[in-house]
Amino acid sequence: MMLLNQPNLKQDESEIRNQDDIFPISYSTLDVRALISEILSCYSIDTVEKCKFWHRGLSDVYFIKTQTSRYFLRISHQHWRCRAEIEFELELLDFLHNHQIPVAYPLRTTEGKLFIEINAPEGKRYAVLLVNAPGQIAIGDLNISQSLKLGATVGKIHQVAVNFQPSVQRQPLNSDYLLESSFLTIAPYLKNRPLDLNCLADIVFQLKAQLQNLPQNPPFWGICWGDPHSGNAHFTPDDQITLFDFDQCGYGWRAFDIAKFLQVSLQSGLSKKVREAFLVGYEGINPLTELEKSNIQALTQTAHIWAWAISIINAEQFNYSRLDPSYFTRYLQQLKRLHSPDWQ
């Protein structure tokens, strides 16, 4: 029997050795069974009835259902966010929740942690369990009442977050990051379109020069959500609001949050009255100065260029086929429209 079994033992040893020779990967899809047993078991929640891969964007998101509640489990992508960036975001959400701002906040583990580190094949990834935001995205996009409420809530964030004291630092939303870094991401794709590349370079130069006039100190400068728009807010039937997706948060110009809302709203075709309601709601809480208002157009173009660069980074990882000539033509046309006198 010993002799008969010997070849099999040698084969098993060879297979064990070859496990160290797994081909390198840049992205893995984590097994839902392991997420239930290894990650969700670290939280004081009821028995998990369902764990489904919900969406792949800048993070992987899983829908979680227990006997009594619903949650979303978010797993960072190794190429997109480091530990400090995630920690900053989660500390901000925790802070806002504790100050009665309606956000989809992170639950703490039984050990009191805001996130769990995962040793994935491609490197460190981070898991966070978020409460479900009640309601749904506004059907047919925002109405005036909902836009007023969204603007007012962003105003409250800026007001309350003056006292936020993070334990870690995050890349500030300044012109070097929003414009220079974004230009370096976009420019290689326009090397065979010199006129378009020069146009983008000229606009970036003009925007940087103009934004030098905006002070980087309070009240102009503070915590920004980074991505306020109708797709990142849920409304209940009685119009109670809950905000989510703070992946792009950081210290920046408060007027940038207004501009980011306008950039997305103009892209989606939201009416001017509804767009204006957002600013009315915001200024009912946190009035802007004339200097800030005079820079809204420049900041809206900046938001567009930044969103464009983020889109490229994500497409390079997961959907390179979308980076065709029409993609760049569309983004350039939108930028030129935002750069024009009748941009709104």
Side-chain angles (χ1 to χ4, degrees):
M1 286 293 293
M2 290 292 291
L3 292 174
L4 289 173
N5 287 336
Q6 195 64 29
N8 289 332
L9 289 173
K10 288 183 178 179
Q11 183 180 9
D12 290 343
E13 291 171 359
S14 175
E15 288 176 354
I16 292 171
R17 285 196 300 271
N18 288 338
Q19 287 178 2
D20 295 330
D21 301 326
I22 295 174
F23 198 85
I25 65 169
S26 60
Y27 167 77
S28 61
T29 301
L30 305 182
D31 182 70
V32 294
R33 293 165 298 183
L35 290 175
I36 293 172
S37 62
E38 302 296 327
I39 304 300
L40 295 175
S41 61
C42 297
Y43 293 90
S44 295
I45 59 176
D46 292 334
T47 301
V48 175
E49 293 183 341
K50 184 180 293 186
C51 176
K52 295 292 184 182
F53 197 126
W54 184 261
H55 176 69
R56 186 180 69 191
L58 295 176
S59 301
D60 286 347
V61 180
Y62 294 78
F63 170 71
I64 311 298
K65 183 178 181 296
T66 69
Q67 294 174 338
T68 58
S69 302
R70 297 182 178 189
Y71 309 92
F72 283 96
L73 179 68
R74 197 188 73 185
I75 313 291
S76 67
H77 288 160
Q78 197 271 337
H79 75 280
W80 177 239
R81 290 297 183 201
C82 68
R83 175 179 176 135
E85 291 173 316
I86 291 164
E87 197 164 354
F88 182 102
E89 176 196 352
L90 298 181
E91 286 182 1
L92 175 60
L93 287 171
D94 192 52
F95 173 89
L96 293 175
H97 170 64
N98 289 332
H99 287 77
Q100 289 72 55
I101 301 295
V103 294
Y105 59 92
L107 293 180
R108 290 184 179 270
T109 67
T110 53
E111 296 181 349
K113 297 178 181 178
L114 286 171
F115 62 91
I116 298 173
E117 185 178 280
I118 296 175
N119 189 25
E122 66 270 32
K124 301 295 184 184
R125 298 176 67 179
Y126 302 94
V128 53
L129 188 63
L130 299 155
V131 300
N132 179 47
Q136 60 183 7
I137 291 171
I139 298 175
D141 222 326
L142 298 176
N143 57 38
I144 289 177
S145 173
Q146 291 167 332
S147 189
L148 278 166
K149 180 160 284 189
L150 180 58
T153 308
V154 174
K156 291 175 184 175
I157 289 174
H158 293 174
Q159 197 175 64
V160 165
V162 170
N163 298 316
F164 176 56
Q165 296 182 336
S167 66
V168 291
Q169 299 300 312
R170 205 182 207 223
Q171 168 65 54
L173 305 178
N174 55 28
S175 60
D176 285 342
Y177 172 57
L178 298 172
L179 290 170
E180 285 289 343
S181 295
S182 296
F183 177 78
L184 292 175
T185 297
I186 301 167
Y189 291 93
L190 299 177
K191 63 182 180 181
N192 296 323
R193 301 169 63 159
L195 293 179
D196 290 334
L197 179 58
N198 288 337
C199 175
L200 176 62
D202 287 343
I203 291 176
V204 167
F205 179 81
Q206 292 173 38
L207 294 174
K208 285 204 71 177
Q210 181 172 344
L211 294 179
Q212 285 181 349
N213 298 322
L214 270 179
Q216 291 188 18
N217 55 266
F220 305 93
W221 185 267
I223 283 292
C224 285
W225 176 1
D227 202 17
H229 60 81
S230 59
N232 284 340
H234 275 183
F235 290 89
T236 60
D238 60 346
D239 266 358
Q240 296 302 306
I241 189 174
T242 304
L243 313 181
F244 54 90
D245 192 355
F246 278 64
D247 173 81
Q248 295 172 31
C249 69
Y251 282 98
W253 292 293
R254 63 181 180 178
F256 181 73
D257 267 349
I258 312 299
K260 189 67 193 300
F261 172 82
L262 290 175
Q263 178 255 323
V264 176
S265 299
L266 287 164
Q267 199 168 17
S268 64
L270 198 61
S271 75
K272 189 173 183 179
K273 287 184 177 180
V274 177
R275 298 198 309 269
E276 289 173 342
F278 178 88
L279 184 57
V280 171
Y282 180 88
E283 290 205 284
I285 302 295
N286 222 16
L288 295 173
T289 66
E290 290 303 316
L291 175 61
E292 289 172 298
K293 291 179 182 179
S294 68
N295 279 279
I296 291 291
Q297 183 181 5
L299 288 169
T300 303
Q301 295 169 73
T302 300
H304 176 81
I305 293 168
W306 185 43
W308 185 2
I310 292 173
S311 172
I312 289 174
I313 291 168
N314 202 44
E316 286 175 336
Q317 186 75 13
F318 299 120
N319 194 8
Y320 191 77
S321 64
R322 72 179 299 203
L323 301 179
D324 58 13
S326 64
Y327 167 90
F328 291 94
T329 298
R330 184 171 68 256
Y331 270 91
L332 280 163
Q333 288 174 342
Q334 291 167 347
L335 177 60
K336 290 175 182 178
R337 195 177 307 122
L338 293 175
H339 194 63
S340 67
D342 57 346
W343 66 286
Q344 290 218 64

